[in-house]
């Protein structure tokens, strides 16, 4: 598992996922992550995700993050 970390795989996957969502005209991307996954949370911030809320699921603390693509959609329509 550790051999795959810090190789840019997550970044490439995130870039692809966000591009896919934009192409399909999604308005928002929502992700949740366990609170102890500091690297994932850092990557979400890098891509512009905002913190939505914290919640508990089966005894684990989760943080929800969202990326608003609605404003991208409006800018594209106005061009």
């Amino acid at each position: 598992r550790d051999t795959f970390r810090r190789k840019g795989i997550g970044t490439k996957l995130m870039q692809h996922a966000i591009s896919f969502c934009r192409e399909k005209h999604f308005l928002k991307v929502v992700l949740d992550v366990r609170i102890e996954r500091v690297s994932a949370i850092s990557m979400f911030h890098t891509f512009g995700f905002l913190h939505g809320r914290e919640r508990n699921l089966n005894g684990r603390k989760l943080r929800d993050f969202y990326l608003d693509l609605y404003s991208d959609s409006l800018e594209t329509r106005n061009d």
Side-chain angles (χ1 to χ4, degrees), residues 14-73:
M14 185 67 76
Q15 289 169 336
H16 182 76
I18 292 170
S19 292
F20 173 85
C21 291
R22 284 191 171 116
E23 288 170 14
K24 299 297 180 182
H25 305 288
F26 290 9
L27 299 179
K28 185 184 282 189
V29 180
V30 179
L31 301 171
D32 63 29
V33 63
R34 292 198 320 248
I35 204 164
E36 66 269 11
R37 302 288 190 200
V38 178
S39 296
I41 292 170
S42 176
M43 183 176 65
F44 295 169
H45 285 296
T46 299
F47 279 94
F49 281 80
L50 301 173
H51 179 252
R53 66 179 177 138
E54 289 186 12
R55 59 191 170 95
N56 285 309
L57 181 65
N58 299 326
R60 292 186 179 247
K61 276 191 161 183
L62 296 178
R63 279 194 179 156
D64 290 350
F65 291 86
Y66 68 94
L67 180 64
D68 181 11
L69 300 178
Y70 181 71
S71 57
D72 288 353
S73 176

